[in-house]
Amino acid sequence: MNILGIQVLRGPNIWSINRKKLIQMRLDLGEMEQRPTNVIEGFGDRIAQLIPSLYTHRCSKGAPGGFLVRIKEGTWMGHVIEHIALEIQTLAGMDTGFGRTRQTKTEGIYNVVFSYIEEKAGVFAAEAAVRIAEALINNVDYDLEADIQRMRELREMERLGPSTGSIVDEAISRDIPWIRLNKSSLVQLGYGKNQVRFRATMTERTNSIAVDIACNKDETKRMLQDSAIPVAKGVTISEVEDLPAAINKVGFPMVFKPLNGNHGKGASINVQTEKAAFAAFEYAKTFSRKVIIERFITGYDFRVLVIDHKMVAAALRVPAHVKGNNQLTIQELIDKENEDPKRGYGHENVLTEIGVDRDTLDLLAKKGYTLETVPANGEVVYLKSTANLSTGGTSIDVTDLVHPQNIFICERISRVIGLDICGIDIMAENLTQPLPENGGVVLEVNAAPGFRMHLAPSEGLPRNVAAPVIDMLYPPGKSARIPIIAVTGTNGKTTTTRLIAHIVKSNGTRVGFTTSDGIYVQNTMLMKGDTTGPISSEFILRDPTVEFAVLETARGGILRSGLGFNQCDIGVVTNIQEDHLGISDIHTLDDLTRVKAVVIGSVKRSGWAVLNADNKYCLKIAANANCNVAWFSMDENNPVVAEHSKKGGIAAVYENGYITVKKGDWKIRVEKVSHIPLTFGGSLDFMTQNVLAATLATFLWGYKIEDIRMSLETFIPSAAQTPGRMNIFRFKEFKILVDFAHNADGFNGIKTYLQSIEATEHVGVICATGDRRDEDIKETARISAQMFDRIMICQEKYLRGSNQQDLIDLLLAGIAEVKPDMEVTINNNGEDCLKYLIATAKSGSYITILSGTIDNAVQRVSEYLDKELGV
């Protein structure tokens, strides 16, 4: 078996609108296409023995063990690999269960699709599943545990931490979109101007001065002490020569910790001798230039969490420990404790596995113990000097036990330091009595406190501490989203996108939009190129200046990665025509419809699908739409529109020379088509369709008819406004039209336009696109032969894996079918081609450059025109 490719889908896609995170593996089964599982001797027994948990997979049988039954009855290896990939992820702590396996049009080649939790682990699972299947087929041993451990490691490297993850999960539950901004914990909630950012448990509201104060433990202690808040007695030193004086001032037992430390790193507690003090000082110095020395306070370690100056949770933290039984050594007790299903690798479970480090060995040495010591029955042996969960500690929720005065103290601390989210470490006998009464003290104030001890305590009630964070960042009435209109289809996407963006911009809203020629915010191009995929969409949605997004959404991006957004307000499908067929398993217009329908599937229920009533494939999309539907048509008597209007629906039609919006039986005339520059005086039906789509979409959003009318009148087709779309350059003796028409439907649109143009000679410049079907290439050539008097072929680019001469031959063959004696010139150098055209142009001729034949044709032709005009 051979993996032909692995794609990571991150947004709504052709397999599922709701399950956004999918791996799609293109797999060639090779000889296994002829060998289903029931003819592979012993395969069923071996897979059940290697991965017994596969018994839980119900498969199409609908009952536990169903998948194993399918194996015995006989199923294809792609199906088996799908289930293996899902199960090994689950075994690695990433429980997921959606899968699909479908054969492509090529025999033996399958798309194996399954969900993932963490991207790199999902890709690894795909590759590992194939290796596992091959080992089972060949009856050879396989180290499954090594793969599972590797996936755990990948998961921990990639996943969000428990605190960050909890905030993201809470945002998702409230339908707030999110974007991960780096490989660690920097996250954006919301889109555009309504975004907020946070990193771990620090938000964009977190005061940087407050963070500096909290990170400087000495400064924190001074400010708390000045505010009459009880703190531990101590000093800060940086040189070992100052240590004896510090010992005399503070007195044993002592605590050493780095001034700028966190998570308990570099700390030593209950230091009782001068020798131990010097060792603790040197250890702390490895983490910070300055070291805090405090009196060791006896009592219990508490953490109080304050968010938005309100106490939301409190926990008793217990350092990692084992309890003796008079039989096992300390190492054996650690190993046994780590077998607890609550403990896991990294953050995969409620508790973290206990590891042995210098801190552990030092604590044992103070008791005269080693890892081989056998503790007495019931003896508690502490293994860490701090109670951090990341080092194996446990937590007990005590939120409901905190005395009101202690709540007041903690909330006041958050304001004294100035933190919107803070974790306050307290050492006290309990929190049920006021700290001044029981001698408790505040040890530290943490600027980025961990949430895990509150989210999943070892004992007590879990607290959803992420909820108050979202409450703070998005108070009632604040939206997290910006309006999104997504535009897809075969032809007209870019022009429709630009026109919608123009209408939005003209009404005083800062718009960001993506097109096949670049990414724009307002009038500024920020990135040049074909920017119609999910990365470009996310670029706009990340921009904090954008108030409204209009996103051209092409087939390629949907197939490669899915959509770059999880939901839009309005989805527009301009039309579905023959183009890009034969690529990426898209062979028919029904296949292409399935791809374009992903955009409509992402429209929110209260949103709108704007569809072309003159296109039968759009009718199929409407049948499965889970949102409101509005139609546009070049014929007001279109039966779909007529029936829709009878039911009170909304549509846009071309009638009696007008762009008209219909609401039920009422007609609202927007503008005469001949007054809309984009339609070239009403001569271009395909441009009129684009106007209908844009008018309807913006009307549905809520723009007034008069504002839409004004925008339509001011949208001038030009190299600046609509680059590569009906750009006409008027030289003194001839004219040049540059248009990106690249398929039969687009060529026919140009043909209709040219029929209304009087010229002494029509000259066409065409090329083929290498990844199109032969018949599609020949059809564009046939149409070219019908509309031009002579043709120049410039096959400079767009080879896309094909042979240049083969493409030229296809064009020549198509031309010859219509006009065998037609004059055809071949020049595969774009610059030379353009020079020749201009030098040989006859007076009154009309030159049409199509398909992006000449690179940067708009700019190059503009330069020639400027020279002629002396600019």
Side-chain angles (χ1 to χ4, degrees):
M1 292 183 290
N2 183 28
I3 297 175
L4 302 179
I6 295 176
Q7 293 170 239
V8 180
L9 306 179
R10 304 178 183 89
N13 54 75
I14 60 172
W15 302 101
S16 175
I17 296 297
N18 298 319
R19 295 177 177 88
K20 303 170 184 65
K21 298 169 67 173
L22 298 176
I23 298 293
Q24 179 179 320
M25 174 169 58
R26 191 172 174 84
L27 182 66
D28 184 351
L29 294 189
E31 65 175 14
M32 296 312 299
E33 172 66 5
Q34 309 303 324
R35 296 180 66 195
T37 53
N38 60 333
V39 302
I40 304 172
E41 185 177 351
F43 183 86
D45 293 335
R46 290 195 292 274
I47 194 171
Q49 183 177 2
L50 181 66
I51 316 176
S53 53
L54 282 172
Y55 178 79
T56 61
H57 290 217
R58 306 165 74 91
C59 204
S60 59
K61 298 295 182 180
F67 173 61
L68 297 178
V69 172
R70 286 289 306 278
I71 287 178
K72 291 189 181 297
E73 293 175 348
T75 189
W76 303 109
M77 202 51 63
H79 181 212
V80 174
I81 287 168
E82 168 204 323
H83 280 267
I84 293 174
L86 289 168
E87 187 57 27
I88 60 177
Q89 287 185 90
T90 298
L91 292 173
M94 295 167 285
D95 192 5
T96 187
F98 175 84
R100 294 285 185 272
T101 298
R102 298 290 183 267
Q103 187 173 16
T104 67
K105 292 287 193 326
T106 306
E107 184 180 2
I109 295 180
Y110 290 75
N111 281 318
V112 179
V113 179
F114 58 88
S115 52
Y116 67 90
I117 303 297
E118 301 298 338
E119 188 173 303
K120 289 182 180 178
V123 172
F124 183 91
E127 297 167 339
V130 175
R131 294 195 299 268
I132 292 167
E134 289 177 331
L136 292 167
I137 292 165
N138 298 319
N139 194 16
V140 297
D141 291 337
Y142 191 87
D143 187 355
L144 181 62
E145 187 53 42
D147 279 351
I148 291 172
Q149 178 58 27
R150 179 55 183 158
M151 280 190 286
R152 286 180 179 139
E153 293 168 359
L154 290 171
R155 178 201 68 207
E156 290 305 305
M157 288 167 52
E158 193 173 6
R159 78 189 303 186
L160 294 171
S163 302
T164 309
S166 70
I167 297 172
V168 168
D169 289 343
E170 180 64 22
I172 292 171
S173 74
R174 302 187 190 194
D175 198 30
I176 295 173
W178 68 285
I179 299 172
R180 190 171 185 174
L181 297 177
N182 64 8
K183 293 182 179 180
S184 53
S185 56
L186 182 61
V187 172
Q188 172 184 317
L189 299 180
Y191 288 152
K193 71 166 187 176
N194 290 328
Q195 66 178 269
V196 295
R197 297 174 188 168
F198 72 95
R199 176 187 277 119
T201 58
M202 287 196 296
T203 77
E204 61 181 36
R205 290 185 42 170
T206 303
N207 187 302
S208 60
I209 296 176
V211 174
D212 285 343
I213 294 170
C215 289
N216 186 321
K217 293 178 173 57
D218 196 36
E219 183 73 8
T220 300
K221 181 187 291 187
R222 185 190 62 76
M223 290 188 68
L224 296 180
Q225 200 166 20
D226 290 348
S227 299
I229 294 168
V231 296
K233 177 184 175 183
V235 297
T236 301
I237 63 172
S238 56
E239 303 297 334
V240 69
E241 291 79 9
D242 298 326
L243 184 56
I247 293 173
N248 290 333
K249 182 175 181 179
V250 176
F252 293 111
M254 305 165 71
V255 173
F256 285 73
K257 52 189 177 184
L259 179 68
N260 302 314
N262 56 44
H263 300 297
K265 293 176 182 176
S268 300
I269 66 169
N270 199 17
V271 175
Q272 303 200 34
T273 66
E274 189 170 309
K275 180 180 179 181
F278 277 90
F281 175 80
E282 293 301 329
Y283 180 48
K285 281 279 285 184
T286 62
F287 292 89
S288 176
R289 192 172 64 85
K290 292 186 177 182
V291 177
I292 293 177
I293 304 172
E294 295 176 339
R295 180 78 175 185
F296 177 63
I297 307 295
T298 58
Y300 296 99
D301 185 350
F302 294 96
R303 163 66 63 83
V304 177
L305 181 63
V306 179
I307 297 175
D308 201 18
H309 309 303
K310 296 286 188 293
M311 192 204 85
V312 297
L316 168 63
R317 302 191 298 176
V318 182
H321 63 278
V322 292
K323 188 175 291 187
N325 60 7
N326 214 26
Q327 296 179 9
L328 301 178
T329 65
I330 292 174
Q331 183 62 65
E332 290 170 336
L333 290 169
I334 293 173
D335 295 340
K336 184 179 179 181
E337 177 64 26
N338 283 339
E339 292 174 1
D340 183 342
K342 290 183 179 179
R343 293 192 181 273
Y345 182 81
H347 297 309
E348 71 178 348
N349 289 334
V350 174
L351 301 175
T352 300
E353 292 176 350
I354 300 172
V356 174
D357 57 12
R358 176 192 178 282
D359 188 28
T360 306
L361 299 177
D362 285 351
L363 285 174
L364 294 178
K366 288 176 182 178
K367 294 175 66 72
Y369 288 178
T370 69
L371 291 172
E372 300 307 313
T373 301
V374 177
N377 190 42
E379 181 184 357
V380 175
V381 179
Y382 288 99
L383 304 168
K384 303 292 177 184
S385 58
T386 61
N388 297 87
L389 268 66
S390 58
T391 59
T394 58
S395 66
I396 301 170
D397 179 72
V398 295
T399 304
D400 296 330
L401 304 178
V402 182
H403 192 279
Q405 186 172 343
N406 291 337
I407 294 175
F408 170 75
I409 290 172
C410 292
E411 292 178 350
R412 184 164 172 261
I413 287 171
S414 74
R415 293 185 182 276
V416 168
I417 303 301
L419 289 170
D420 59 337
I421 301 175
C422 65
I424 301 165
D425 293 341
I426 295 172
M427 185 65 72
E429 288 298 320
N430 57 65
L431 293 182
T432 58
Q433 295 175 284
L435 296 184
E437 293 183 12
N438 64 14
V441 295
V442 175
L443 300 178
E444 290 183 17
V445 179
N446 298 276
F451 284 1
R452 185 160 62 132
M453 70 184 75
H454 309 295
L455 295 165
S458 310
E459 298 178 30
L461 189 67
R463 307 286 173 169
N464 182 9
V465 294
V469 176
I470 300 297
D471 291 340
M472 175 180 68
L473 298 177
Y474 285 102
K478 181 178 179 179
S479 174
R481 296 181 178 271
I482 60 173
I484 297 175
I485 297 179
V487 182
T488 192
T490 301
N491 295 320
K493 298 187 297 295
T494 298
T495 301
T496 302
T497 298
R498 283 181 165 276
L499 181 52
I500 292 172
H502 177 74
I503 295 170
V504 173
K505 179 172 52 180
S506 298
N507 282 276
T509 302
R510 186 179 295 276
V511 63
F513 57 102
T514 62
T515 70
S516 57
D517 55 80
I519 298 175
Y520 297 79
V521 173
Q522 291 293 83
N523 300 318
T524 303
M525 176 188 280
L526 301 178
M527 191 175 294
K528 187 176 182 179
D530 188 347
T531 57
T532 56
I535 293 175
S536 304
S537 296
E538 193 172 282
F539 182 100
I540 288 295
L541 299 174
R542 287 201 317 264
D543 192 311
T545 69
V546 172
E547 299 172 334
F548 199 121
V550 185
L551 307 174
E552 181 179 346
T553 307
R555 166 206 59 88
I558 297 173
L559 290 171
R560 280 193 305 274
S561 303
L563 297 178
F565 49 89
N566 62 3
Q567 181 180 284
C568 63
D569 298 276
I570 297 175
V572 179
V573 182
T574 56
N575 50 66
I576 295 176
Q577 307 287 355
E578 290 194 352
D579 196 14
H580 299 285
L581 300 183
I583 306 170
S584 302
D585 297 323
I586 305 302
H587 298 281
T588 67
L589 284 175
D590 282 326
D591 293 339
L592 188 57
T593 300
R594 181 169 161 241
V595 178
K596 304 295 186 181
V598 172
V599 169
I600 302 305
S602 72
V603 177
K604 64 183 184 181
R605 282 189 172 274
S606 60
W608 291 88
V610 174
L611 303 174
N612 188 340
D614 301 330
N615 186 279
K616 68 177 183 179
Y617 295 97
C618 285
L619 306 186
K620 295 182 179 181
I621 292 176
N624 297 311
N626 291 315
C627 60
N628 301 303
V629 174
W631 297 99
F632 65 92
S633 173
M634 292 293 290
D635 178 11
E636 70 167 321
N637 297 314
N638 179 297
V640 174
V641 172
E643 183 64 27
H644 185 66
S645 298
K646 283 181 183 178
K647 297 176 181 177
I650 300 176
V653 296
Y654 173 61
E655 57 88 25
N656 294 316
Y658 282 89
I659 297 294
T660 298
V661 172
K662 294 189 69 176
K663 293 183 71 175
D665 293 330
W666 291 97
K667 291 182 180 179
I668 309 170
R669 284 184 170 171
V670 180
E671 180 58 288
K672 203 171 182 61
V673 170
S674 59
H675 294 173
I676 300 173
L678 189 59
T679 69
F680 287 77
S683 64
L684 294 179
D685 284 353
F686 62 88
M687 284 298 191
T688 302
Q689 291 176 32
N690 296 336
V691 171
L692 286 168
T695 298
L696 184 54
T698 50
F699 175 79
L700 291 168
W701 179 251
Y703 289 116
K704 297 177 181 178
I705 291 294
E706 54 266 33
D707 292 332
I708 296 173
R709 179 186 302 118
M710 180 68 71
S711 300
L712 295 180
E713 292 172 351
T714 56
F715 188 74
I716 312 298
S718 63
Q721 194 81 279
T722 55
R725 275 77 184 173
M726 293 300 296
N727 301 151
I728 299 173
F729 300 86
R730 294 173 173 83
F731 290 75
K732 292 177 181 177
E733 300 295 330
F734 57 90
K735 295 177 182 177
I736 295 180
L737 166 65
V738 179
D739 192 90
F740 194 63
H742 58 282
N743 54 42
D745 186 64
F747 273 48
N748 276 321
I750 297 297
K751 175 186 167 185
T752 301
Y753 170 70
L754 291 179
Q755 287 172 348
S756 67
I757 300 297
E758 290 186 9
T760 56
E761 180 183 45
H762 280 288
V763 182
V765 186
I766 65 171
C767 71
T769 304
D771 56 2
R772 302 302 198 269
R773 299 178 305 179
D774 291 357
E775 178 55 32
D776 295 335
I777 294 172
K778 291 170 70 175
E779 180 60 17
T780 58
R782 294 186 195 107
I783 299 168
S784 298
Q786 293 168 8
M787 61 177 161
F788 298 127
D789 299 311
R790 63 185 175 95
I791 291 175
M792 177 171 281
I793 296 174
C794 182
Q795 195 64 57
E796 185 176 28
K797 54 180 184 174
Y798 297 123
L799 300 181
R800 297 183 182 177
S802 296
N803 178 272
Q804 185 183 59
Q805 190 58 49
D806 289 344
L807 296 176
I808 294 171
D809 290 343
L810 287 169
L811 291 171
L812 291 171
I815 294 168
E817 289 181 24
V818 178
K819 292 182 180 177
D821 299 325
M822 188 172 198
E823 179 184 343
V824 180
T825 305
I826 300 171
N827 186 334
N828 293 323
N829 183 291
E831 183 62 35
D832 289 347
C833 181
L834 186 57
K835 283 182 182 178
Y836 175 80
L837 285 167
I838 292 176
T840 61
K842 296 179 180 178
S843 177
S845 64
Y846 205 98
I847 301 168
T848 302
I849 302 172
L850 297 176
S851 308
T853 313
I854 297 174
D855 200 23
N856 291 323
V858 171
Q859 181 180 340
R860 288 180 176 180
V861 175
S862 295
E863 290 171 355
Y864 276 102
L865 182 58
D866 289 343
K867 287 179 183 178
E868 182 179 277
L869 298 174
V871 177

